Amino acid sequence: DTAVSQTPKYLVTQMGNDKSIKCEQNLGHDTMYWYKQDSKKFLKIMFSYNNKELIINETVPNRFSPKSPDKAHLNLHINSLELGDSAVYFCASSQVWGWTGEDTQYFGPGTRLTVL
Amino acid sequence: AQTVTQSQPEMSVQEAETVTLSCTYDTSESDYYLFWYKQPPSRQMILVIRQEAYKQQNATENRFSVNFQKAAKSFSLKISDSQLGDAAMYFCAYRSTTSGTYKYIFGTGTRLKVLA
């Protein structure tokens, strides 16, 4: 069973287009994340949702809009795609346990977005 | 703000030998979590090992162990009996335990090559 899944795994599109990436987790976690990994492999958080509520919103262009229809899903919609949006986008989920705030993030397989 | 530094962009190790990957971090918090993630060419992010800052004992997972030096803010990963399948990018990550702060901060990664 796939714990965190993303679709599609590869996405090639033209500049100016709008595209979405879907993420689903079957771990029963409350918190989900979107990360962007650039060509130098630097991994940076973009958004996080906890029980469908946005809790982290890093400095990301407003062309990027996350949507969480329920706590098992967190989709990423990108408007007016630009060349600089080319990257690998990772979804992750976690569950914060108890007073220690313990959690481990589990990542999806990533979506390689190429903007031409 | 917390930062995570991996000063070795690339490391090489002979198969069956031992290698240590370095990670340092900066924080003013006393409780936090540290992680090592592995990213093989498949690009899947895989949790290797985690360490709770309140635990003095170093975490171990089979051939993987850490040297956690809290005062020095150092968290190195030792891989014993290196195998070809260990070749990957390795990322060190920090997570605060402050309530409501769920994001991970990743280092820039170390590419590990395993030589046959």
Side-chain angles (χ1 to χ4, degrees):
Chain A
D1 285 345
T2 303
V4 183
S5 59
Q6 292 178 230
T7 53
K9 289 190 177 174
Y10 298 92
L11 186 53
V12 181
T13 188
Q14 298 288 329
M15 248 179 17
N17 284 350
D18 302 339
K19 290 293 178 186
S20 292
I21 306 172
K22 295 185 177 182
C23 178
E24 178 181 1
Q25 55 96 0
N26 61 8
L27 297 166
H29 289 167
D30 286 339
T31 309
M32 296 184 72
Y33 312 77
W34 277 110
Y35 287 87
K36 178 180 180 180
Q37 186 175 44
D38 62 24
S39 58
K40 294 184 179 178
K41 300 293 187 182
F42 184 59
L43 198 62
K44 193 169 189 302
I45 191 160
M46 300 172 69
F47 301 104
S48 177
Y49 271 74
N50 180 253
N51 274 320
K52 302 195 297 174
E53 182 183 342
L54 182 65
I55 56 169
I56 296 174
N57 185 354
E58 295 292 292
T59 307
V60 176
N62 57 16
R63 298 181 294 105
F64 289 79
S65 54
K67 284 188 173 51
S68 181
D70 56 61
K71 72 175 194 178
H73 296 84
L74 180 62
N75 304 324
L76 182 65
H77 189 75
I78 315 170
N79 289 328
S80 303
L81 278 156
E82 300 177 358
L83 294 176
D85 297 333
S86 295
V88 179
Y89 292 84
F90 284 96
C91 178
S93 75
S94 71
Q95 181 71 33
V96 178
W97 297 105
W99 64 272
T100 61
E102 173 181 332
D103 85 304
T104 296
Q105 291 193 10
Y106 296 88
F107 285 79
T111 296
R112 181 177 293 280
L113 171 64
T114 303
V115 183
L116 303 175
Chain B
Q2 297 90 3
T3 58
V4 176
T5 302
Q6 292 179 250
S7 58
Q8 306 152 317
E10 193 169 291
M11 294 279 287
S12 294
V13 63
Q14 207 68 35
E15 201 176 1
E17 297 294 310
T18 296
V19 66
T20 298
L21 308 184
S22 301
C23 173
T24 58
Y25 57 94
D26 190 26
T27 184
S28 57
E29 298 178 328
S30 58
D31 286 329
Y32 46 87
Y33 288 87
L34 296 165
F35 304 83
W36 278 99
Y37 279 86
K38 168 184 176 181
Q39 186 179 39
S42 67
R43 80 166 185 252
Q44 176 75 52
M45 293 285 286
I46 302 164
L47 176 68
V48 175
I49 202 164
R50 57 178 282 152
Q51 174 81 43
E52 294 89 340
Y54 62 86
K55 289 187 178 178
Q56 292 186 338
Q57 188 173 8
N58 288 325
T60 62
E61 283 289 337
N62 301 314
R63 298 183 295 107
F64 298 87
S65 61
V66 297
N67 184 3
F68 173 48
Q69 302 288 329
K70 190 173 183 180
K73 296 179 183 173
S74 169
F75 182 61
S76 59
L77 175 69
K78 185 171 87 171
I79 306 173
S80 304
D81 185 25
S82 296
Q83 300 174 1
L84 294 177
D86 295 333
M89 284 287 289
Y90 286 82
F91 292 94
C92 178
Y94 170 101
R95 182 197 176 275
S96 169
T97 57
T98 302
S99 178
T101 304
Y102 298 100
K103 67 179 180 182
Y104 281 25
I105 298 167
F106 284 87
T108 50
T110 297
R111 183 177 299 282
L112 178 66
K113 294 183 177 180
V114 180
L115 309 172

